[in-house]
Amino acid sequence: METILSLFDRYGIFAMILIILLEYACFPISSELVLPFSGAVARAENISFFLLLPLSVLAGLLGTGLCYLAGRIGGDAVLTKLVSRFPKTEKAINASRARFTKYGAGAVCIGRVIPLCRTYIAFVAGAVGQSPSVYFPYSLLGITIWNSALLSLGYFLQDNWGAVSGYYARYKQYLIPVMIGIVLIIVLHKKFKKKRPE
């Protein structure tokens, strides 16, 4: 975290966007730390939340797009290679596959707010051949919800940052299901709206 802090100090919003992009591209960086911290630093540096949010969403789409592309080109072989190289990823990849089987296109959106699953859902979507015209809009929705929630924590509660991170750690088992519920409602609403006759 000290390295990230020094990058933020030196390069400001550019470092924030790069680190968010890398996190979405499956580098071992926790968005649950980086996004609220980015929000807090942006507030301290007088960077508008309405500039930070769209840039962070764009960074997320670019990062996840790299993983989706790797899955799309490599297919199941990419997932097999990930598991053989990093055995601990097997559980998360299997969970991502299960969500994908259960929710279809909506899994990409729902998976964005589920720890571990959110990391590998892009590889799974690419490997099963989900169309980019489906993958990216659902990713956009999920990334926007996730980034808005976590950036807001840091940005609007910057003065109480220590307390916020403590409450989040204590109550995240309740917050995450609520966020999943919100995403699920949005996805189902869109599905039923499409099915409704004109």
Side-chain angles (χ1 to χ4, degrees):
M1 201 64 183
E2 282 181 24
T3 308
I4 291 172
L5 179 58
S6 64
L7 284 170
F8 282 9
D9 280 343
R10 188 174 297 181
Y11 301 109
I13 196 166
F14 300 107
M16 291 178 213
I17 299 311
L18 177 61
I19 289 167
I20 291 168
L21 187 153
L22 292 175
E23 190 278 325
Y24 274 97
C26 291
F27 280 73
I29 306 165
S30 170
S31 66
E32 290 163 294
L33 290 174
V34 166
L35 289 170
F37 190 69
S38 295
V41 171
R43 174 78 179 273
E45 297 292 321
N46 293 315
I47 296 167
S48 168
F49 180 80
F50 298 104
L51 172 64
L52 179 62
L53 177 60
L55 287 177
S56 76
V57 171
L58 178 61
L61 282 171
L62 290 172
T64 196
L66 295 173
C67 299
Y68 168 80
L69 191 61
R72 183 92 182 187
I73 292 168
D76 278 331
V78 168
L79 301 177
T80 306
K81 193 167 184 180
L82 272 171
V83 171
S84 66
R85 189 161 180 195
F86 307 102
K88 289 182 180 178
T89 64
E90 186 171 10
K91 187 178 175 183
I93 288 172
N94 288 340
S96 299
R97 268 192 185 282
R99 296 247 188 301
F100 208 92
T101 304
K102 188 173 181 181
Y103 298 111
V108 170
C109 183
I110 295 162
R112 292 285 160 212
V113 298
I114 301 172
L116 294 179
C117 179
R118 65 183 303 279
T119 308
Y120 300 102
I121 198 73
F123 289 110
V124 172
V128 301
Q130 186 176 55
S131 164
S133 64
V134 174
Y135 176 76
F136 284 101
Y138 275 99
S139 288
L140 174 64
L141 178 59
I143 289 169
T144 302
I145 291 168
W146 182 251
N147 287 16
S148 297
L150 294 186
L151 286 171
S152 297
L153 275 178
Y155 195 90
F156 296 109
L157 300 168
Q158 183 227 7
D159 295 335
N160 300 302
W161 174 245
V164 169
S165 58
Y167 282 122
Y168 177 77
R170 191 181 305 169
Y171 297 114
K172 70 178 178 182
Q173 70 267 29
Y174 305 112
L175 290 171
I176 289 170
V178 168
M179 289 173 75
I180 292 168
I182 292 167
V183 172
L184 199 53
I185 289 165
I186 292 168
V187 169
L188 290 173
H189 176 70
K190 283 184 106 178
K191 270 193 172 181
F192 287 124
K193 203 174 177 183
K194 275 184 185 177
K195 286 181 182 176
R196 201 178 297 156
E198 296 296 321

